[in-house]
Amino acid sequence: MPALVTPAIVCALRPHGEHGAIARLLTPEHGLLAGYVRGGRSRTIRPVLLPGNAVKAEFRARTEDQLAGLTVEMEHSRAPLLAEALSAAAIDWACALTATALPEGTPYPALYQALDGVLGAVEAAPAARGWAVALIRYELLMLAELGFGLDLTRCAATGGPEDLAFISPRSAAAVSRAGAVGYEDRLLPLPPFLIEGGSGEWAEILDGLRLTGFFLERSVLTERRADVLAARERLVDRLKRAVA
């Protein structure tokens, strides 16, 4: 089989053998791909394979069923961001979610662009206010791309598009203030920025994380929730402490 050469974002790395590693990378046209990196745990190559880094990847395999051999060249390092706790937690979670939730070999060009955008936002404005909304939108896009999208177009109770303020945890559909009367405590708050665009206040950002977290845990991370959700819990905990 011919080699596949592609830009990619490093999402996960795990040791394999004495010196090697298996890397999982998100590519723009081929989705999530895994490959074996000879010497992947070496002092030279390991810094290239940090989650969040943009690389040029070359995959080579004799058959489609064989784990490809992988070589990588650094295109853009985001290693300096890992020295700051909040930035590191955001990168860790976004990449872990991607590596865990997506099936291999299925193209998700919108997710590739969105993940690159989230990482770019963290880099441009390490303060969490600058990237938290982008991360929430990435989680929403992940849900939609995997078939678990939220309906934010109209109220599930009244049918109208006005004053949408909640999400039903059962149907994943929006509910207006009028349609929610008497049931508010059973619904999840819908942050205005998810309807109107723009940014949000901290209380709204935390509501957004609660919203996407609920549906990710219920629908996407059901089988491997303990490991990957720990990364999200660390992020949310650090955000709450930063706000306080």
Side-chain angles (χ1 to χ4, degrees), residues 83-124:
E84 200 282 317
L86 266 178
S87 297
I91 293 172
D92 186 32
W93 161 244
C95 291
L97 170 64
T98 304
T100 303
L102 296 185
E104 289 188 13
T106 301
Y108 292 99
L111 283 175
Y112 177 86
Q113 294 297 331
L115 179 59
D116 189 55
V118 169
L119 297 171
V122 175
E123 193 168 20

Side-chain angles (χ1 to χ4, degrees), residues 73-231:
E73 294 179 17
M74 182 77 80
E75 293 287 327
H76 181 67
S77 173
R78 295 189 170 99
L81 297 172
L82 302 180
E84 200 282 317
L86 266 178
S87 297
I91 293 172
D92 186 32
W93 161 244
C95 291
L97 170 64
T98 304
T100 303
L102 296 185
E104 289 188 13
T106 301
Y108 292 99
L111 283 175
Y112 177 86
Q113 294 297 331
L115 179 59
D116 189 55
V118 169
L119 297 171
V122 175
E123 193 168 20
R129 188 72 173 270
W131 48 257
V133 168
L135 179 62
I136 293 167
R137 292 188 185 282
Y138 180 67
E139 293 178 335
L140 276 179
L141 179 62
M142 176 74 72
L143 287 164
E145 291 285 299
L146 294 176
F148 303 106
L150 279 59
D151 182 357
L152 307 181
T153 60
R154 59 185 180 83
C155 173
T158 68
E162 301 86 7
D163 201 22
L164 303 178
F166 300 93
I167 292 286
S168 165
R170 288 189 177 183
S171 66
V175 182
S176 66
R177 295 185 196 279
V181 172
Y183 297 93
E184 293 91 343
D185 61 343
R186 303 182 189 179
L187 305 173
L188 296 166
L190 174 61
F193 64 79
L194 292 180
I195 299 292
E196 302 167 1
S199 188
E201 301 299 324
W202 272 117
E204 297 168 344
I205 289 171
L206 293 176
D207 280 343
L209 288 167
R210 179 187 171 201
L211 175 67
T212 51
F214 174 86
F215 288 104
L216 285 170
E217 183 172 356
R218 186 182 76 174
S219 302
V220 175
L221 302 174
T222 54
E223 296 177 0
R224 292 161 288 183
R225 66 176 59 181
D227 291 341
V228 70
L229 284 176

